[in-house]
Amino acid sequence: MEENVGKTIAVAGKGGVGKTLISALLVNHLVRRNNGAVLAVDADPSTNLHLALGVDIDFDELETVGGIREETLVDVQGGGNLAGMSKPDYFDMRVQQAIWEEDDFDLLAMGRPEGPGCYCAANNMLRVSLDRLSGVYRYVVIDNEAGLEHLSRRTTRDVDVLLIVSDASMRSILAAGGVSRLIDDLHTKVEEQYLIVNRVPVDESGQPDLPQLLRKAIEEQGLNLAGVIPMDPIVAEFDALGKPVGDIPADSATRQAFDKIVASIPSLN
Ligand SMILES: Nc1ncnc2c1ncn2[C@@H]1O[C@H](COP(=O)(O)OP(=O)(O)OP(=O)(O)O)[C@@H](O)[C@H]1O
Ligand SMILES: [Mg+2]
């Protein structure tokens, strides 16, 4: 019998490679499959996953973990009694309240750093809260900020599936290799990791064509290529018009490619 434990899937990679696109595609895919509750976590301080997911809320209205942490500090320093709770319990309660509920998934936003040193602390508290929440949700999908800082600070909780996203450039593939090695060096518990190469130029027949040189580099970096997503004008158009990723048609090259990638990852099925 399958164990009924939640899976945490984290999406990482260099800036602008398509992490938010892929996080949103995954959330929508899991929702469509209707295989259990889904929590989308926007761990990027610039907070934009909600737009990709079509969550109809102003940025200002969205309560963030960073904001809660700041308020908790103020409450403590102001002599507030935190409703008689310990700081972690109080924080946890506030995080629960900050979870934005859509009909078919929930969303939690990390928010901006609120002064020096605070971001790290907020991340740590988020990790503790996520550990608790992962018992509640079947899937937790984390859209990370670009770069490696949050990984090297060990602020990312243990993950079941790490999706490293790259674009079709040597620099980005090398950066993806860096993410992968860092994870190994830190002994962060990542059960499985996969590379997705996004925005791959298409050939005359419309098929994404990953240059041999990049394939070789992927191999040399020891990356586990799950698949590629083509450069797709529909994605750019949806983004430009602020339309949610979930409305990208099922027969589009992007959705087709993404569905194939998910199908190839056993623990997502
Ligand atoms: N397959 C694709 N085809 C065309 N455009 C794409 C594709 N994937 C992503 N883009 C475009 O590239 C840009 C970056 O995508 P996205 O925001 O998902 O990247 P990101 O890695 O989350 O960026 P950041 O590091 O800023 O968070 C967006 O404008 C998006 O529309
Ligand atoms: Mg992003």
Side-chain angles (χ1 to χ4, degrees):
M1 213 175 82
E2 198 191 345
E3 270 186 14
N4 187 24
V5 286
K7 285 231 184 317
T8 298
I9 304 126
V11 183
K14 212 167 118 336
V17 290
K19 297 180 294 296
T20 299
L21 169 75
I22 283 167
S23 302
L25 283 170
L26 182 58
V27 167
N28 289 310
H29 177 95
L30 295 170
V31 162
R32 278 192 197 98
R33 232 185 30 203
N34 195 18
N35 194 23
V38 180
L39 175 69
V41 176
D42 190 346
D44 184 341
S46 56
T47 310
N48 50 26
L49 182 61
H50 65 293
L51 296 174
L53 288 171
V55 173
D56 189 16
I57 179 177
D58 278 349
F59 175 75
D60 292 344
E61 278 179 70
L62 198 61
E63 201 173 5
T64 67
V65 175
I68 292 169
R69 196 257 172 192
E70 180 76 354
E71 284 170 33
T72 304
L73 258 189
V74 169
D75 285 348
V76 168
Q77 283 159 0
N81 69 358
L82 303 180
M85 292 180 211
S86 73
K87 204 169 142 191
D89 283 347
Y90 177 77
F91 182 82
D92 203 45
M93 178 197 78
R94 292 286 309 273
V95 168
Q96 305 274 353
Q97 289 169 349
I99 292 173
W100 181 264
E101 293 176 11
E102 290 284 288
D103 285 345
D104 38 17
F105 63 88
D106 290 355
L107 173 74
L108 181 64
M110 184 61 217
R112 288 172 199 287
E114 305 276 347
C118 293
Y119 188 39
C120 191
N123 254 324
N124 272 323
M125 292 206 235
L126 174 68
R127 187 174 51 173
V128 173
S129 288
L130 282 181
D131 277 333
R132 297 187 191 177
L133 288 170
S134 66
V136 177
Y137 293 90
R138 180 81 173 83
Y139 299 101
V140 176
V141 177
I142 307 175
D143 179 15
N144 282 293
E145 67 177 311
L148 305 177
E149 275 228 308
H150 57 293
L151 297 174
S152 58
R153 287 185 195 140
R154 299 217 51 180
T155 48
T156 305
R157 66 180 298 272
D158 296 341
V159 297
D160 298 290
V161 180
L162 176 69
L163 301 177
I164 305 174
V165 186
S166 170
D167 60 21
S169 74
M170 188 59 86
R171 259 179 51 190
S172 184
I173 300 284
L174 296 179
V179 171
S180 178
R181 279 191 299 280
L182 185 66
I183 293 286
D184 290 343
D185 289 351
L186 292 171
H187 305 294
T188 299
K189 213 172 129 237
V190 172
E191 295 291 342
E192 300 163 33
Q193 43 171 294
Y194 300 90
L195 175 73
I196 297 174
V197 185
N198 182 32
R199 257 193 277 147
V200 175
V202 294
D203 62 19
E204 310 82 59
S205 61
Q207 292 304 309
D209 186 17
L210 192 60
Q212 192 50 39
L213 210 63
L214 295 185
R215 287 191 182 274
K216 195 159 159 266
I218 288 166
E219 226 172 89
E220 282 167 4
Q221 296 291 314
L223 292 161
N224 184 11
L225 181 63
V228 302
I229 296 176
M231 177 91 84
D232 186 350
I234 292 177
V235 172
E237 183 196 314
F238 268 63
D239 199 35
L241 299 176
K243 292 205 252 173
V245 165
D247 291 348
I248 293 177
D251 62 357
S252 65
T254 293
R255 280 275 303 278
Q256 299 267 318
F258 185 76
D259 290 350
K260 217 167 107 186
I261 289 170
V262 173
S264 77
I265 299 178
S267 51
L268 293 183
N269 291 282

